[in-house]
Amino acid sequence: MDAFSRRSSFGFSRMLPSLLLLGFVLMTGVVSVIPGSTMPPVLLAWAIIYYWALFQPAQLPLFVLGLSGLLHDLLTGFPIGVSTFGFVLLHAGVMRLRKMITAQHFTAIWAGFGVIALLQGILCVLIITLVTQRHLSDVALSLMYGVLLAWIAYPVVHIISAFIGRYLYKSSSFSAR
Amino acid sequence: MRKRYAVSENTLSFGPLIQRGLFAAIAAFCLMMLFSERSQNGLAESVRATLVDGLVPVLDVLSTPVAAWDSAMQSVTDMMSVYEENQQLKAENQKLLQWYSTAIKLQSENDSLKDLAHYHPKQANSYVTAKVVGDVGNSLSQRVLINAGTEQGVQKHQAVMNESGLIGRVMSVGKNSAEILLMTDINSRLPVVSESTGLRSILAGNHSELPHLSFSASRKSPKLGEVVTTASDGELFAAGIPVGKIFSQEDGKSYIRPFVDLSRIRYVQVVDFNTAAVTR
């Protein structure tokens, strides 16, 4: 493999986490597109941000987080700014705790996601309630259900992300040769 | 066995100062949007409309396989009930033929009465047909995105309907897209009238399939099964657009079953009842 294709392959692989996040956010939209679907937005994007902020924070640039947040707000019908702010805050918050969390067993990491997603959910509920002047219980029920589904789905997101992470590590070491 | 995960020591690609600046810019943008949404000054709405304009072509592509799947599933369901449907259609056809002859008689009677009264009919309403490309329907909001906007003549507050009846109204408009607030959304309020009792009230969305009547002008309650149509009180919609039937009555509230199956709308008509003059 020549140097150019090696570098371009490495460049593409570096984009994979961002593409994964954007893909999952768009998937929220596709799920919403299914006629008759009135399920709450599954907050899988939070799981992806949590994983990458823990293990390879540089792979999710701020502008990707902002863009994904905007897209998420449009597709879920949240007021603009809720997910954008939430994504950036989640990334920054997890980055501060990463050294403490990453040293733990998977179950602790999973539990950590549950706690952080719950806190993030409470913050989102408060912002949405303040902005839209809706009943707290109405918003809370929907979002907390979304948080629960995201927590259940976290191991799948973790496995996919770990697979991509390993691929990234291999391609970076191959490119460095 | 404790499994430990490797932590990448990658540093962020931008310098810390730029990172902080970008973080502050994103946070400031979000706060501005949220304040705008709270004060309803129109900024958040126009930003949303612009962004949706860019998103609609992507959603259009994404919704194609989902729509094809839904259509295939619908065909299978239809095929399974084809005999019963045929019998039902035959019976309906008989009824419609009787109504047709009555309608012709009434039409000629109506025409001659109009001539007698020198009645000038109102200008015909114009409409735009659009495809539903996104369903922002979840337990927080009940909206759909359509692929028609100001360039096609769609304006804010216009009525949205299909062949079965009313769907909702235009909430925000972009160049080539618009967001429709369904009548079941919690923010939806529509002036309606019950056809046989003539009771005027407001149809309020409640995020369920069955919106309810509130602020009734009378203490009487409408009858079960009664047809509800739009009233011209708000001057946004024309009177007489079919909305639904009174389905149930509980705790003094009357719940409406809309004529349109709001979970299966694919194409809609955005009708102009000269709302621009009212909302300007």
Side-chain angles (χ1 to χ4, degrees):
Chain A
M1 197 188 267
D2 61 1
F4 174 74
S5 50
R6 223 182 295 156
R7 236 177 283 138
S8 52
S9 151
F10 178 59
F12 173 74
S13 59
R14 273 185 73 99
M15 278 164 57
L16 277 176
S18 302
L19 291 175
L20 182 75
L21 177 62
L22 285 166
F24 268 73
V25 169
L26 274 173
M27 212 168 81
T28 312
V30 176
V31 168
S32 299
V33 165
I34 294 170
S37 139
T38 50
M39 64 184 291
V42 184
L43 305 160
L44 286 179
W46 289 5
I48 296 166
I49 295 168
Y50 175 78
Y51 177 90
W52 290 96
L54 271 185
F55 297 106
Q56 297 191 38
Q59 303 300 333
L60 279 183
L62 267 178
F63 73 90
V64 173
L65 291 169
L67 185 74
S68 315
L70 268 180
L71 207 61
H72 197 259
D73 284 336
L74 293 177
L75 291 170
T76 52
F78 288 177
I80 290 182
V82 173
S83 300
T84 318
F85 189 59
F87 284 10
V88 172
L89 201 69
L90 177 70
H91 193 262
V94 175
M95 263 177 70
R96 286 194 177 267
L97 301 169
R98 61 194 286 250
K99 292 232 162 105
M100 191 177 82
I101 304 174
T102 44
Q104 307 298 321
H105 187 264
F106 171 75
T107 42
I109 293 171
W110 190 10
F113 173 68
V115 173
I116 286 174
L118 187 68
L119 293 174
Q120 181 85 1
I122 292 168
L123 182 74
C124 283
V125 168
L126 290 176
I127 295 174
I128 294 173
T129 313
L130 275 174
V131 171
T132 59
Q133 300 171 11
R134 298 257 304 272
H135 289 294
L136 186 75
S137 58
D138 199 25
V139 181
L141 197 72
S142 167
L143 261 182
M144 290 307 156
Y145 191 44
V147 168
L148 181 71
L149 290 176
W151 181 74
I152 293 168
Y154 179 76
V156 179
V157 174
H158 188 100
I159 291 165
I160 296 171
S161 298
F163 182 76
I164 292 173
R166 266 200 296 273
Y167 174 71
L168 264 175
Y169 177 75
K170 269 185 201 166
S171 67
S172 68
S173 50
F174 186 66
S175 160
R177 257 183 241 161
Chain B
M1 191 180 80
R2 277 169 67 88
K3 188 179 176 186
R4 286 176 185 275
Y5 290 85
V7 182
S8 160
E9 289 304 328
N10 285 351
T11 51
L12 293 168
S13 45
F14 297 109
L17 203 66
I18 297 173
Q19 281 291 324
R20 278 182 196 154
L22 195 59
F23 183 87
I26 291 173
F29 169 78
C30 294
L31 284 176
M32 195 170 71
M33 286 295 111
L34 293 171
F35 274 116
S36 165
E37 187 97 29
R38 176 86 163 87
S39 59
Q40 296 187 331
N41 62 10
L43 178 70
E45 197 181 291
S46 60
V47 169
R48 183 180 278 273
T50 312
L51 292 170
V52 164
D53 247 359
L55 188 65
V56 155
V58 181
L59 281 179
D60 205 356
V61 173
L62 280 177
S63 70
T64 309
V66 178
W69 170 256
D70 182 50
S71 161
M73 292 310 288
Q74 188 63 40
S75 305
V76 172
T77 318
D78 287 350
M79 272 168 68
M80 285 164 78
S81 60
V82 75
Y83 179 74
E84 287 86 359
E85 209 171 313
N86 192 29
Q87 295 300 316
Q88 200 184 333
L89 283 171
K90 275 181 182 169
E92 268 180 25
N93 196 31
Q94 283 298 319
K95 267 189 195 172
L96 283 172
L97 282 171
Q98 286 166 11
W99 275 109
Y100 179 69
S101 60
T102 314
I104 286 174
K105 276 181 210 162
L106 287 171
Q107 176 75 48
S108 70
E109 195 180 311
N110 200 19
D111 287 345
S112 45
L113 285 171
K114 273 180 186 170
D115 283 344
L116 272 174
H118 300 291
Y119 173 76
H120 298 288
K122 278 202 293 182
Q123 215 179 357
N125 303 310
S126 60
Y127 62 86
V128 177
T129 303
K131 186 183 167 194
V132 174
V133 291
D135 184 350
V136 195
N138 54 55
S139 43
L140 276 179
S141 67
Q142 302 269 306
R143 300 174 204 170
V144 291
L145 302 175
I146 59 167
N147 63 353
T150 47
E151 288 207 340
Q152 289 76 30
V154 176
Q155 287 168 19
K156 202 176 165 183
H157 299 306
Q158 283 178 337
V160 182
M161 49 194 288
N162 70 4
E163 68 286 351
S164 307
L166 190 75
I167 290 170
R169 66 182 167 87
V170 178
M171 198 188 163
S172 63
V173 203
K175 251 184 171 180
N176 292 302
S177 67
E179 206 169 352
I180 311 301
L181 187 76
L182 302 183
M183 66 167 112
T184 46
D185 188 283
I186 204 153
N187 295 310
S188 170
R189 298 286 181 277
L190 296 167
V192 291
V193 61
S194 312
E195 278 289 276
S196 51
T197 51
L199 290 173
R200 288 176 182 276
S201 46
I202 300 289
L203 180 71
N206 49 23
H207 272 319
S208 75
E209 287 175 354
L210 308 171
H212 64 272
L213 295 179
S214 63
F215 302 116
S216 180
S218 162
R219 281 190 182 178
K220 285 183 194 167
S221 52
K223 291 180 211 160
L224 269 179
E226 196 174 347
V227 172
V228 173
T229 63
T230 54
S232 55
D233 298 12
E235 294 186 16
L236 287 173
F237 294 175
I241 304 172
V243 175
K245 270 186 180 178
I246 308 279
F247 180 73
S248 64
Q249 288 172 322
E250 279 170 40
D251 306 325
K253 275 185 183 172
S254 298
Y255 292 87
I256 309 288
R257 163 84 63 203
F259 286 128
V260 181
D261 182 358
L262 294 171
S263 62
R264 291 199 171 273
I265 35 175
R266 286 271 147 243
Y267 290 91
V268 297
Q269 279 182 339
V270 184
V271 191
D272 183 10
F273 294 115
N274 293 319
T275 52
V278 179
T279 52
R280 209 172 278 151

